[in-house]
Structures are given as structure tokens and as C-alpha cells.
Amino acid sequence: MTELAKASMAAIFITLMGCAQSDGDAISTSTEPYDGISANETLYLLGTEPFWGFEINGESAEYSSPEELDGTTISLKRFAGNSGLGYSGEINDQPLQIAITPGDCSDGMSDRSYPFTATVTLGDSTLYGCGHTDSQPFTGDEAP
């Protein structure tokens, strides 16, 4: 490899390393599975516009929405990635994917702050929301 090629490769590497920053935080390069939420802990997820919620216990969850006021119990598969958790399943024959990552989150309607962000893909819809557990609760008013 020529010196020019080596210098070009080094410049590309340095540029990519600079891009590996998000809001001043370095992107995780860990190869260890995320362990910030234990498998036996209840995870609560919620979103607004439209309103929706999940209460995840192990590999099952209760899903609620304005269309599902009584809630629907579903089975999930859990996956611990490098930077968060993933869940997959189905609701009413629609594929469901949930991604949970650590980070400050606001529901946009209260003064609460949540320790996790949630991205839910249900069929063709993508929903955004927040999450917490009993050991990592939200902060703010209990009943806003």
C-alpha cells in the first residue's frame, strides 16, 4: 500500500471516529449484551399521539391502546443487543418490534422524565415513547 493510500485510510478512519459521537456521547463499542434491565424485571412503556402502552414481564406483555382498552396479552421474544433491548412478537397478526435504549425521555405531556426511550414498530406504524422499570422509575409527579 502506498503512503498516499495509507494516509487516505487514516483520514477516513479519523473522520469516522469523529462521527461516532452523538450529542457528545461516544457510541458504545462493547460487544457485551446490554444488561441494564434484568430479564425478570417489569418494563413499562408508554407513548402519546396516539396513546399506547406495554407492560412487559419476561416474555409476555399486556398491550393497551384506545382501540384495545381492555388490553391484549401477547408473547414476546427478548434480545439483548449491545446498546439496549429488543423484543419481537405479533399483535392481531401484525408484526411487532420494540427497541429499548437508555436515555432521558419525556412523554411530552407531563413533567416526568423517563430513563429509557422506546421505538415500537407495529405493522406499518412506528410509535415513539418512553419506558421505566420499578428499579429505574420515572422522576416527576406520580399523577400529573
Side-chain angles (χ1 to χ4, degrees):
M1 184 179 287
T2 68
E3 290 302 313
L4 180 58
K6 287 180 185 176
S8 295
M9 294 286 284
I12 291 169
F13 179 76
I14 289 168
T15 301
L16 290 174
M17 289 301 293
C19 292
Q21 301 267 334
S22 174
D23 298 328
D25 297 331
I27 293 174
S28 173
T29 57
S30 172
T31 58
E32 296 297 315
Y34 179 75
D35 64 357
I37 302 171
S38 73
N40 61 359
E41 198 166 7
T42 301
L43 178 59
Y44 307 93
L45 307 177
L46 63 111
T48 59
E49 298 182 32
F51 289 97
W52 56 269
F54 285 91
E55 185 174 319
I56 301 173
N57 293 297
E59 293 193 340
S60 70
E62 187 75 21
Y63 166 71
S64 61
S65 71
E67 294 81 24
E68 304 272 346
L69 289 176
D70 293 332
T72 300
T73 301
I74 58 171
S75 295
L76 296 174
K77 293 187 189 257
R78 176 183 161 119
F79 172 79
N82 291 344
S83 301
L85 293 179
Y87 292 91
S88 62
E90 281 189 0
I91 298 176
N92 301 326
D93 297 324
Q94 293 187 68
L96 169 70
Q97 299 290 322
I98 302 172
I100 309 299
T101 54
D104 291 334
C105 186
S106 169
D107 61 19
M109 297 189 69
S110 70
D111 290 328
R112 291 180 180 171
S113 179
Y114 297 84
F116 301 103
T117 63
T119 304
V120 176
T121 304
L122 177 56
D124 294 332
S125 300
T126 301
L127 307 170
Y128 301 97
C130 302
H132 68 97
T133 67
D134 291 327
S135 68
Q136 299 176 78
F138 62 82
T139 57
D141 291 339
E142 182 66 32

